[in-house]
Amino acid sequence: MCNRYVSPEAGDMERYWHVGARQPWRAAEVFPRAPGPFLRADREKPLSRELVIGQWGLVPWFAKTAKLTYSTNNARFEEITTKASFKSSWSYGKRCIIPAVSFDEPNWESGKNVWWRFRRADGAPWGLAGLWNTWTDKTTGEVVESYTMLTLNADIHPLMNRMHKPDPKLGPDRQDKRSVVPIELEDVDAWLNGSPEAAAALVRLAPAQVFDAGPVAP
């Protein structure tokens, strides 16, 4: 599961993903329940994109408060049609792109947690697959934008299966190691605007050569 990443500057996101109106945002390390930027289809301009600042940790429609007692910053893709917190966003096509300069994952091969940083080998930013929701407090009228990052089983991936603490009770093919899901630039429109079937076809593990990864410098 991804629990921290670095977002790009607003101007860099706008130029790379061809987003319109500027949102005030400085590059920052983002953690669960903190604000972060995401891209979604513009709800007023067909085939356009908008940059939104929202909470990393999706607030589902049935929540009584935006301050959840459970984690929703990551969503297993294998569960999005059945998991109560995410199935509504998926069924209504609320898909988004989460821009990231890099993301971090823990490596336990030494017997202790060593953080690794993952960038793209080509120097471009990551566009990670996510879901979003807009939640309104029925008492105060407060509107909260939020998002979650999709993950996919990575037990067979030669790089991502090295991350996270292994469970000694489970075999190597049953660890349920996870990976984020990069959406390539040419596939963004299909992800944001396509049918559920077209979007689901884009959910796949990225080849190991796409990654520039290694331990975070002390």
Side-chain angles (χ1 to χ4, degrees), residues 2 4-6 100-105 116-119 126 128 149 160 179-180 182 211:
C2 181
R4 70 186 197 193
Y5 69 94
V6 175
V101 174
S102 63
F103 62 90
D104 294 349
E105 300 286 4
W116 277 39
R117 182 150 294 161
F118 292 78
R119 298 177 181 270
W126 295 107
L128 305 177
M149 190 179 292
M160 300 307 295
S179 173
V180 296
F211 298 87

mmCIF file with all atom_site columns, all heavy atoms in Angstrom, residues 2 4-6 100-105 116-119 126 128 149 160 179-180 182 211:
data_model
loop_
_atom_site.group_PDB
_atom_site.id
_atom_site.type_symbol
_atom_site.label_atom_id
_atom_site.label_alt_id
_atom_site.label_comp_id
_atom_site.label_asym_id
_atom_site.label_entity_id
_atom_site.label_seq_id
_atom_site.pdbx_PDB_ins_code
_atom_site.Cartn_x
_atom_site.Cartn_y
_atom_site.Cartn_z
_atom_site.occupancy
_atom_site.B_iso_or_equiv
_atom_site.pdbx_formal_charge
_atom_site.auth_seq_id
_atom_site.auth_comp_id
_atom_site.auth_asym_id
_atom_site.auth_atom_id
_atom_site.pdbx_PDB_model_num
ATOM 1   N N   . CYS A 1 2   ? 0.465  2.247  -0.745  1.00 0.00 ? 2   CYS A N   1
ATOM 2   C CA  . CYS A 1 2   ? 1.215  3.507  -0.801  1.00 0.00 ? 2   CYS A CA  1
ATOM 3   C C   . CYS A 1 2   ? 0.676  4.450  0.267   1.00 0.00 ? 2   CYS A C   1
ATOM 4   O O   . CYS A 1 2   ? -0.528 4.722  0.323   1.00 0.00 ? 2   CYS A O   1
ATOM 5   C CB  . CYS A 1 2   ? 1.081  4.138  -2.178  1.00 0.00 ? 2   CYS A CB  1
ATOM 6   S SG  . CYS A 1 2   ? 1.998  5.687  -2.348  1.00 0.00 ? 2   CYS A SG  1
ATOM 7   N N   . ARG A 1 4   ? 2.719  7.435  1.152   1.00 0.00 ? 4   ARG A N   1
ATOM 8   C CA  . ARG A 1 4   ? 3.294  8.772  1.005   1.00 0.00 ? 4   ARG A CA  1
ATOM 9   C C   . ARG A 1 4   ? 3.833  8.924  -0.410  1.00 0.00 ? 4   ARG A C   1
ATOM 10  O O   . ARG A 1 4   ? 4.360  7.991  -0.997  1.00 0.00 ? 4   ARG A O   1
ATOM 11  C CB  . ARG A 1 4   ? 4.375  9.043  2.047   1.00 0.00 ? 4   ARG A CB  1
ATOM 12  C CG  . ARG A 1 4   ? 5.665  8.264  1.881   1.00 0.00 ? 4   ARG A CG  1
ATOM 13  C CD  . ARG A 1 4   ? 6.590  8.523  3.057   1.00 0.00 ? 4   ARG A CD  1
ATOM 14  N NE  . ARG A 1 4   ? 7.966  8.138  2.770   1.00 0.00 ? 4   ARG A NE  1
ATOM 15  C CZ  . ARG A 1 4   ? 8.917  8.032  3.703   1.00 0.00 ? 4   ARG A CZ  1
ATOM 16  N NH1 . ARG A 1 4   ? 8.655  8.284  4.954   1.00 0.00 ? 4   ARG A NH1 1
ATOM 17  N NH2 . ARG A 1 4   ? 10.152 7.689  3.362   1.00 0.00 ? 4   ARG A NH2 1
ATOM 18  N N   . TYR A 1 5   ? 3.662  10.130 -0.944  1.00 0.00 ? 5   TYR A N   1
ATOM 19  C CA  . TYR A 1 5   ? 4.180  10.446 -2.268  1.00 0.00 ? 5   TYR A CA  1
ATOM 20  C C   . TYR A 1 5   ? 4.411  11.942 -2.349  1.00 0.00 ? 5   TYR A C   1
ATOM 21  O O   . TYR A 1 5   ? 3.983  12.706 -1.486  1.00 0.00 ? 5   TYR A O   1
ATOM 22  C CB  . TYR A 1 5   ? 3.220  9.966  -3.365  1.00 0.00 ? 5   TYR A CB  1
ATOM 23  C CG  . TYR A 1 5   ? 1.912  10.722 -3.459  1.00 0.00 ? 5   TYR A CG  1
ATOM 24  C CD1 . TYR A 1 5   ? 1.770  11.803 -4.338  1.00 0.00 ? 5   TYR A CD1 1
ATOM 25  C CD2 . TYR A 1 5   ? 0.816  10.372 -2.686  1.00 0.00 ? 5   TYR A CD2 1
ATOM 26  C CE1 . TYR A 1 5   ? 0.579  12.501 -4.435  1.00 0.00 ? 5   TYR A CE1 1
ATOM 27  C CE2 . TYR A 1 5   ? -0.377 11.054 -2.777  1.00 0.00 ? 5   TYR A CE2 1
ATOM 28  C CZ  . TYR A 1 5   ? -0.498 12.115 -3.656  1.00 0.00 ? 5   TYR A CZ  1
ATOM 29  O OH  . TYR A 1 5   ? -1.685 12.815 -3.749  1.00 0.00 ? 5   TYR A OH  1
ATOM 30  N N   . VAL A 1 6   ? 5.109  12.359 -3.398  1.00 0.00 ? 6   VAL A N   1
ATOM 31  C CA  . VAL A 1 6   ? 5.389  13.775 -3.616  1.00 0.00 ? 6   VAL A CA  1
ATOM 32  C C   . VAL A 1 6   ? 4.621  14.237 -4.851  1.00 0.00 ? 6   VAL A C   1
ATOM 33  O O   . VAL A 1 6   ? 4.740  13.631 -5.925  1.00 0.00 ? 6   VAL A O   1
ATOM 34  C CB  . VAL A 1 6   ? 6.902  14.033 -3.801  1.00 0.00 ? 6   VAL A CB  1
ATOM 35  C CG1 . VAL A 1 6   ? 7.153  15.500 -4.145  1.00 0.00 ? 6   VAL A CG1 1
ATOM 36  C CG2 . VAL A 1 6   ? 7.666  13.642 -2.532  1.00 0.00 ? 6   VAL A CG2 1
ATOM 37  N N   . ALA A 1 100 ? 2.187  12.445 -9.408  1.00 0.00 ? 100 ALA A N   1
ATOM 38  C CA  . ALA A 1 100 ? 3.229  12.229 -8.399  1.00 0.00 ? 100 ALA A CA  1
ATOM 39  C C   . ALA A 1 100 ? 4.605  12.328 -9.046  1.00 0.00 ? 100 ALA A C   1
ATOM 40  O O   . ALA A 1 100 ? 4.835  11.750 -10.114 1.00 0.00 ? 100 ALA A O   1
ATOM 41  C CB  . ALA A 1 100 ? 3.064  10.867 -7.733  1.00 0.00 ? 100 ALA A CB  1
ATOM 42  N N   . VAL A 1 101 ? 5.493  13.063 -8.413  1.00 0.00 ? 101 VAL A N   1
ATOM 43  C CA  . VAL A 1 101 ? 6.897  13.080 -8.827  1.00 0.00 ? 101 VAL A CA  1
ATOM 44  C C   . VAL A 1 101 ? 7.535  11.760 -8.447  1.00 0.00 ? 101 VAL A C   1
ATOM 45  O O   . VAL A 1 101 ? 8.317  11.171 -9.197  1.00 0.00 ? 101 VAL A O   1
ATOM 46  C CB  . VAL A 1 101 ? 7.643  14.248 -8.141  1.00 0.00 ? 101 VAL A CB  1
ATOM 47  C CG1 . VAL A 1 101 ? 9.136  14.180 -8.442  1.00 0.00 ? 101 VAL A CG1 1
ATOM 48  C CG2 . VAL A 1 101 ? 7.057  15.576 -8.571  1.00 0.00 ? 101 VAL A CG2 1
ATOM 49  N N   . SER A 1 102 ? 7.167  11.257 -7.252  1.00 0.00 ? 102 SER A N   1
ATOM 50  C CA  . SER A 1 102 ? 7.696  9.994  -6.750  1.00 0.00 ? 102 SER A CA  1
ATOM 51  C C   . SER A 1 102 ? 6.752  9.466  -5.685  1.00 0.00 ? 102 SER A C   1
ATOM 52  O O   . SER A 1 102 ? 5.904  10.188 -5.169  1.00 0.00 ? 102 SER A O   1
ATOM 53  C CB  . SER A 1 102 ? 9.093  10.185 -6.155  1.00 0.00 ? 102 SER A CB  1
ATOM 54  O OG  . SER A 1 102 ? 9.038  11.050 -5.028  1.00 0.00 ? 102 SER A OG  1
ATOM 55  N N   . PHE A 1 103 ? 6.905  8.180  -5.372  1.00 0.00 ? 103 PHE A N   1
ATOM 56  C CA  . PHE A 1 103 ? 6.196  7.610  -4.229  1.00 0.00 ? 103 PHE A CA  1
ATOM 57  C C   . PHE A 1 103 ? 7.161  6.685  -3.502  1.00 0.00 ? 103 PHE A C   1
ATOM 58  O O   . PHE A 1 103 ? 8.157  6.221  -4.064  1.00 0.00 ? 103 PHE A O   1
ATOM 59  C CB  . PHE A 1 103 ? 4.923  6.871  -4.664  1.00 0.00 ? 103 PHE A CB  1
ATOM 60  C CG  . PHE A 1 103 ? 5.137  5.690  -5.570  1.00 0.00 ? 103 PHE A CG  1
ATOM 61  C CD1 . PHE A 1 103 ? 5.336  4.414  -5.051  1.00 0.00 ? 103 PHE A CD1 1
ATOM 62  C CD2 . PHE A 1 103 ? 5.143  5.844  -6.953  1.00 0.00 ? 103 PHE A CD2 1
ATOM 63  C CE1 . PHE A 1 103 ? 5.528  3.323  -5.875  1.00 0.00 ? 103 PHE A CE1 1
ATOM 64  C CE2 . PHE A 1 103 ? 5.333  4.752  -7.795  1.00 0.00 ? 103 PHE A CE2 1
ATOM 65  C CZ  . PHE A 1 103 ? 5.528  3.490  -7.263  1.00 0.00 ? 103 PHE A CZ  1
ATOM 66  N N   . ASP A 1 104 ? 6.881  6.441  -2.229  1.00 0.00 ? 104 ASP A N   1
ATOM 67  C CA  . ASP A 1 104 ? 7.777  5.649  -1.387  1.00 0.00 ? 104 ASP A CA  1
ATOM 68  C C   . ASP A 1 104 ? 7.098  4.361  -0.928  1.00 0.00 ? 104 ASP A C   1
ATOM 69  O O   . ASP A 1 104 ? 5.891  4.342  -0.670  1.00 0.00 ? 104 ASP A O   1
ATOM 70  C CB  . ASP A 1 104 ? 8.195  6.445  -0.145  1.00 0.00 ? 104 ASP A CB  1
ATOM 71  C CG  . ASP A 1 104 ? 9.050  7.661  -0.478  1.00 0.00 ? 104 ASP A CG  1
ATOM 72  O OD1 . ASP A 1 104 ? 9.499  7.783  -1.640  1.00 0.00 ? 104 ASP A OD1 1
ATOM 73  O OD2 . ASP A 1 104 ? 9.268  8.496  0.414   1.00 0.00 ? 104 ASP A OD2 1
ATOM 74  N N   . GLU A 1 105 ? 7.906  3.305  -0.818  1.00 0.00 ? 105 GLU A N   1
ATOM 75  C CA  . GLU A 1 105 ? 7.429  2.030  -0.304  1.00 0.00 ? 105 GLU A CA  1
ATOM 76  C C   . GLU A 1 105 ? 8.475  1.432  0.620   1.00 0.00 ? 105 GLU A C   1
ATOM 77  O O   . GLU A 1 105 ? 9.677  1.643  0.423   1.00 0.00 ? 105 GLU A O   1
ATOM 78  C CB  . GLU A 1 105 ? 7.163  1.043  -1.464  1.00 0.00 ? 105 GLU A CB  1
ATOM 79  C CG  . GLU A 1 105 ? 6.121  1.491  -2.471  1.00 0.00 ? 105 GLU A CG  1
ATOM 80  C CD  . GLU A 1 105 ? 4.690  1.393  -1.953  1.00 0.00 ? 105 GLU A CD  1
ATOM 81  O OE1 . GLU A 1 105 ? 4.500  1.047  -0.770  1.00 0.00 ? 105 GLU A OE1 1
ATOM 82  O OE2 . GLU A 1 105 ? 3.763  1.682  -2.723  1.00 0.00 ? 105 GLU A OE2 1
ATOM 83  N N   . TRP A 1 116 ? 12.167 2.909  0.149   1.00 0.00 ? 116 TRP A N   1
ATOM 84  C CA  . TRP A 1 116 ? 12.606 3.043  -1.241  1.00 0.00 ? 116 TRP A CA  1
ATOM 85  C C   . TRP A 1 116 ? 11.768 4.116  -1.916  1.00 0.00 ? 116 TRP A C   1
ATOM 86  O O   . TRP A 1 116 ? 10.573 4.265  -1.628  1.00 0.00 ? 116 TRP A O   1
ATOM 87  C CB  . TRP A 1 116 ? 12.432 1.726  -1.985  1.00 0.00 ? 116 TRP A CB  1
ATOM 88  C CG  . TRP A 1 116 ? 13.562 0.757  -1.787  1.00 0.00 ? 116 TRP A CG  1
ATOM 89  C CD1 . TRP A 1 116 ? 14.253 0.503  -0.637  1.00 0.00 ? 116 TRP A CD1 1
ATOM 90  C CD2 . TRP A 1 116 ? 14.107 -0.104 -2.791  1.00 0.00 ? 116 TRP A CD2 1
ATOM 91  N NE1 . TRP A 1 116 ? 15.199 -0.468 -0.852  1.00 0.00 ? 116 TRP A NE1 1
ATOM 92  C CE2 . TRP A 1 116 ? 15.137 -0.856 -2.163  1.00 0.00 ? 116 TRP A CE2 1
ATOM 93  C CE3 . TRP A 1 116 ? 13.842 -0.320 -4.133  1.00 0.00 ? 116 TRP A CE3 1
ATOM 94  C CZ2 . TRP A 1 116 ? 15.894 -1.804 -2.857  1.00 0.00 ? 116 TRP A CZ2 1
ATOM 95  C CZ3 . TRP A 1 116 ? 14.583 -1.269 -4.825  1.00 0.00 ? 116 TRP A CZ3 1
ATOM 96  C CH2 . TRP A 1 116 ? 15.597 -1.983 -4.188  1.00 0.00 ? 116 TRP A CH2 1
ATOM 97  N N   . ARG A 1 117 ? 12.399 4.848  -2.827  1.00 0.00 ? 117 ARG A N   1
ATOM 98  C CA  . ARG A 1 117 ? 11.708 5.887  -3.589  1.00 0.00 ? 117 ARG A CA  1
ATOM 99  C C   . ARG A 1 117 ? 11.578 5.451  -5.047  1.00 0.00 ? 117 ARG A C   1
ATOM 100 O O   . ARG A 1 117 ? 12.537 4.944  -5.643  1.00 0.00 ? 117 ARG A O   1
ATOM 101 C CB  . ARG A 1 117 ? 12.457 7.211  -3.490  1.00 0.00 ? 117 ARG A CB  1
ATOM 102 C CG  . ARG A 1 117 ? 11.787 8.372  -4.210  1.00 0.00 ? 117 ARG A CG  1
ATOM 103 C CD  . ARG A 1 117 ? 12.120 9.677  -3.512  1.00 0.00 ? 117 ARG A CD  1
ATOM 104 N NE  . ARG A 1 117 ? 11.522 9.683  -2.163  1.00 0.00 ? 117 ARG A NE  1
ATOM 105 C CZ  . ARG A 1 117 ? 11.926 10.490 -1.184  1.00 0.00 ? 117 ARG A CZ  1
ATOM 106 N NH1 . ARG A 1 117 ? 12.909 11.359 -1.394  1.00 0.00 ? 117 ARG A NH1 1
ATOM 107 N NH2 . ARG A 1 117 ? 11.338 10.449 0.005   1.00 0.00 ? 117 ARG A NH2 1
ATOM 108 N N   . PHE A 1 118 ? 10.402 5.670  -5.606  1.00 0.00 ? 118 PHE A N   1
ATOM 109 C CA  . PHE A 1 118 ? 10.094 5.237  -6.966  1.00 0.00 ? 118 PHE A CA  1
ATOM 110 C C   . PHE A 1 118 ? 9.794  6.446  -7.846  1.00 0.00 ? 118 PHE A C   1
ATOM 111 O O   . PHE A 1 118 ? 8.832  7.182  -7.618  1.00 0.00 ? 118 PHE A O   1
ATOM 112 C CB  . PHE A 1 118 ? 8.881  4.299  -6.963  1.00 0.00 ? 118 PHE A CB  1
ATOM 113 C CG  . PHE A 1 118 ? 9.140  2.982  -6.300  1.00 0.00 ? 118 PHE A CG  1
ATOM 114 C CD1 . PHE A 1 118 ? 9.157  2.888  -4.909  1.00 0.00 ? 118 PHE A CD1 1
ATOM 115 C CD2 . PHE A 1 118 ? 9.374  1.846  -7.043  1.00 0.00 ? 118 PHE A CD2 1
ATOM 116 C CE1 . PHE A 1 118 ? 9.415  1.686  -4.283  1.00 0.00 ? 118 PHE A CE1 1
ATOM 117 C CE2 . PHE A 1 118 ? 9.631  0.624  -6.433  1.00 0.00 ? 118 PHE A CE2 1
ATOM 118 C CZ  . PHE A 1 118 ? 9.657  0.545  -5.051  1.00 0.00 ? 118 PHE A CZ  1
ATOM 119 N N   . ARG A 1 119 ? 10.636 6.660  -8.841  1.00 0.00 ? 119 ARG A N   1
ATOM 120 C CA  . ARG A 1 119 ? 10.407 7.656  -9.877  1.00 0.00 ? 119 ARG A CA  1
ATOM 121 C C   . ARG A 1 119 ? 10.252 6.950  -11.216 1.00 0.00 ? 119 ARG A C   1
ATOM 122 O O   . ARG A 1 119 ? 10.496 5.739  -11.319 1.00 0.00 ? 119 ARG A O   1
ATOM 123 C CB  . ARG A 1 119 ? 11.577 8.650  -9.949  1.00 0.00 ? 119 ARG A CB  1
ATOM 124 C CG  . ARG A 1 119 ? 11.797 9.454  -8.666  1.00 0.00 ? 119 ARG A CG  1
ATOM 125 C CD  . ARG A 1 119 ? 13.021 10.358 -8.796  1.00 0.00 ? 119 ARG A CD  1
ATOM 126 N NE  . ARG A 1 119 ? 13.274 11.124 -7.588  1.00 0.00 ? 119 ARG A NE  1
ATOM 127 C CZ  . ARG A 1 119 ? 12.781 12.323 -7.326  1.00 0.00 ? 119 ARG A CZ  1
ATOM 128 N NH1 . ARG A 1 119 ? 12.007 12.910 -8.237  1.00 0.00 ? 119 ARG A NH1 1
ATOM 129 N NH2 . ARG A 1 119 ? 13.059 12.951 -6.201  1.00 0.00 ? 119 ARG A NH2 1
ATOM 130 N N   . TRP A 1 126 ? 4.573  10.570 -12.543 1.00 0.00 ? 126 TRP A N   1
ATOM 131 C CA  . TRP A 1 126 ? 3.598  9.492  -12.534 1.00 0.00 ? 126 TRP A CA  1
ATOM 132 C C   . TRP A 1 126 ? 2.191  10.069 -12.647 1.00 0.00 ? 126 TRP A C   1
ATOM 133 O O   . TRP A 1 126 ? 1.896  11.123 -12.089 1.00 0.00 ? 126 TRP A O   1
ATOM 134 C CB  . TRP A 1 126 ? 3.663  8.715  -11.223 1.00 0.00 ? 126 TRP A CB  1
ATOM 135 C CG  . TRP A 1 126 ? 4.917  7.966  -10.936 1.00 0.00 ? 126 TRP A CG  1
ATOM 136 C CD1 . TRP A 1 126 ? 5.884  8.302  -10.024 1.00 0.00 ? 126 TRP A CD1 1
ATOM 137 C CD2 . TRP A 1 126 ? 5.336  6.734  -11.520 1.00 0.00 ? 126 TRP A CD2 1
ATOM 138 N NE1 . TRP A 1 126 ? 6.880  7.360  -10.010 1.00 0.00 ? 126 TRP A NE1 1
ATOM 139 C CE2 . TRP A 1 126 ? 6.577  6.382  -10.922 1.00 0.00 ? 126 TRP A CE2 1
ATOM 140 C CE3 . TRP A 1 126 ? 4.794  5.897  -12.498 1.00 0.00 ? 126 TRP A CE3 1
ATOM 141 C CZ2 . TRP A 1 126 ? 7.269  5.232  -11.275 1.00 0.00 ? 126 TRP A CZ2 1
ATOM 142 C CZ3 . TRP A 1 126 ? 5.489  4.752  -12.840 1.00 0.00 ? 126 TRP A CZ3 1
ATOM 143 C CH2 . TRP A 1 126 ? 6.701  4.413  -12.247 1.00 0.00 ? 126 TRP A CH2 1
ATOM 144 N N   . LEU A 1 128 ? -1.064 8.341  -11.523 1.00 0.00 ? 128 LEU A N   1
ATOM 145 C CA  . LEU A 1 128 ? -1.537 7.128  -10.867 1.00 0.00 ? 128 LEU A CA  1
ATOM 146 C C   . LEU A 1 128 ? -3.060 7.052  -10.866 1.00 0.00 ? 128 LEU A C   1
ATOM 147 O O   . LEU A 1 128 ? -3.748 8.051  -10.661 1.00 0.00 ? 128 LEU A O   1
ATOM 148 C CB  . LEU A 1 128 ? -1.005 7.069  -9.431  1.00 0.00 ? 128 LEU A CB  1
ATOM 149 C CG  . LEU A 1 128 ? 0.521  7.183  -9.313  1.00 0.00 ? 128 LEU A CG  1
ATOM 150 C CD1 . LEU A 1 128 ? 0.935  7.182  -7.852  1.00 0.00 ? 128 LEU A CD1 1
ATOM 151 C CD2 . LEU A 1 128 ? 1.219  6.054  -10.073 1.00 0.00 ? 128 LEU A CD2 1
ATOM 152 N N   . MET A 1 149 ? -6.244 5.992  -4.040  1.00 0.00 ? 149 MET A N   1
ATOM 153 C CA  . MET A 1 149 ? -5.274 5.487  -5.015  1.00 0.00 ? 149 MET A CA  1
ATOM 154 C C   . MET A 1 149 ? -5.501 3.986  -5.216  1.00 0.00 ? 149 MET A C   1
ATOM 155 O O   . MET A 1 149 ? -5.545 3.222  -4.245  1.00 0.00 ? 149 MET A O   1
ATOM 156 C CB  . MET A 1 149 ? -3.853 5.751  -4.499  1.00 0.00 ? 149 MET A CB  1
ATOM 157 C CG  . MET A 1 149 ? -2.745 5.500  -5.481  1.00 0.00 ? 149 MET A CG  1
ATOM 158 S SD  . MET A 1 149 ? -1.110 5.869  -4.746  1.00 0.00 ? 149 MET A SD  1
ATOM 159 C CE  . MET A 1 149 ? -1.210 7.674  -4.569  1.00 0.00 ? 149 MET A CE  1
ATOM 160 N N   . MET A 1 160 ? 8.087  -4.752 -7.478  1.00 0.00 ? 160 MET A N   1
ATOM 161 C CA  . MET A 1 160 ? 7.119  -4.391 -6.460  1.00 0.00 ? 160 MET A CA  1
ATOM 162 C C   . MET A 1 160 ? 6.874  -5.520 -5.456  1.00 0.00 ? 160 MET A C   1
ATOM 163 O O   . MET A 1 160 ? 6.466  -5.260 -4.318  1.00 0.00 ? 160 MET A O   1
ATOM 164 C CB  . MET A 1 160 ? 5.801  -3.956 -7.096  1.00 0.00 ? 160 MET A CB  1
ATOM 165 C CG  . MET A 1 160 ? 5.927  -2.741 -8.022  1.00 0.00 ? 160 MET A CG  1
ATOM 166 S SD  . MET A 1 160 ? 6.741  -1.313 -7.257  1.00 0.00 ? 160 MET A SD  1
ATOM 167 C CE  . MET A 1 160 ? 5.585  -0.865 -5.979  1.00 0.00 ? 160 MET A CE  1
ATOM 168 N N   . SER A 1 179 ? 0.877  -2.925 -5.805  1.00 0.00 ? 179 SER A N   1
ATOM 169 C CA  . SER A 1 179 ? 1.516  -1.895 -6.618  1.00 0.00 ? 179 SER A CA  1
ATOM 170 C C   . SER A 1 179 ? 0.488  -0.841 -6.984  1.00 0.00 ? 179 SER A C   1
ATOM 171 O O   . SER A 1 179 ? -0.703 -1.132 -7.154  1.00 0.00 ? 179 SER A O   1
ATOM 172 C CB  . SER A 1 179 ? 2.088  -2.493 -7.911  1.00 0.00 ? 179 SER A CB  1
ATOM 173 O OG  . SER A 1 179 ? 2.573  -1.469 -8.777  1.00 0.00 ? 179 SER A OG  1
ATOM 174 N N   . VAL A 1 180 ? 0.945  0.401  -7.088  1.00 0.00 ? 180 VAL A N   1
ATOM 175 C CA  . VAL A 1 180 ? 0.109  1.446  -7.668  1.00 0.00 ? 180 VAL A CA  1
ATOM 176 C C   . VAL A 1 180 ? -0.088 1.137  -9.146  1.00 0.00 ? 180 VAL A C   1
ATOM 177 O O   . VAL A 1 180 ? 0.579  0.266  -9.715  1.00 0.00 ? 180 VAL A O   1
ATOM 178 C CB  . VAL A 1 180 ? 0.749  2.835  -7.484  1.00 0.00 ? 180 VAL A CB  1
ATOM 179 C CG1 . VAL A 1 180 ? 0.850  3.188  -6.011  1.00 0.00 ? 180 VAL A CG1 1
ATOM 180 C CG2 . VAL A 1 180 ? 2.132  2.884  -8.145  1.00 0.00 ? 180 VAL A CG2 1
ATOM 181 N N   . PRO A 1 182 ? 0.044  2.914  -12.730 1.00 0.00 ? 182 PRO A N   1
ATOM 182 C CA  . PRO A 1 182 ? 0.310  4.084  -13.580 1.00 0.00 ? 182 PRO A CA  1
ATOM 183 C C   . PRO A 1 182 ? -0.588 4.087  -14.819 1.00 0.00 ? 182 PRO A C   1
ATOM 184 O O   . PRO A 1 182 ? -0.797 3.043  -15.453 1.00 0.00 ? 182 PRO A O   1
ATOM 185 C CB  . PRO A 1 182 ? 1.784  3.906  -13.981 1.00 0.00 ? 182 PRO A CB  1
ATOM 186 C CG  . PRO A 1 182 ? 2.336  2.886  -13.025 1.00 0.00 ? 182 PRO A CG  1
ATOM 187 C CD  . PRO A 1 182 ? 1.193  1.994  -12.681 1.00 0.00 ? 182 PRO A CD  1
ATOM 188 N N   . PHE A 1 211 ? 10.400 1.828  -13.945 1.00 0.00 ? 211 PHE A N   1
ATOM 189 C CA  . PHE A 1 211 ? 10.738 2.381  -12.635 1.00 0.00 ? 211 PHE A CA  1
ATOM 190 C C   . PHE A 1 211 ? 12.207 2.749  -12.504 1.00 0.00 ? 211 PHE A C   1
ATOM 191 O O   . PHE A 1 211 ? 13.092 2.043  -13.002 1.00 0.00 ? 211 PHE A O   1
ATOM 192 C CB  . PHE A 1 211 ? 10.413 1.364  -11.537 1.00 0.00 ? 211 PHE A CB  1
ATOM 193 C CG  . PHE A 1 211 ? 8.970  0.991  -11.431 1.00 0.00 ? 211 PHE A CG  1
ATOM 194 C CD1 . PHE A 1 211 ? 8.440  -0.040 -12.200 1.00 0.00 ? 211 PHE A CD1 1
ATOM 195 C CD2 . PHE A 1 211 ? 8.125  1.660  -10.552 1.00 0.00 ? 211 PHE A CD2 1
ATOM 196 C CE1 . PHE A 1 211 ? 7.107  -0.406 -12.081 1.00 0.00 ? 211 PHE A CE1 1
ATOM 197 C CE2 . PHE A 1 211 ? 6.794  1.309  -10.441 1.00 0.00 ? 211 PHE A CE2 1
ATOM 198 C CZ  . PHE A 1 211 ? 6.282  0.281  -11.206 1.00 0.00 ? 211 PHE A CZ  1
#
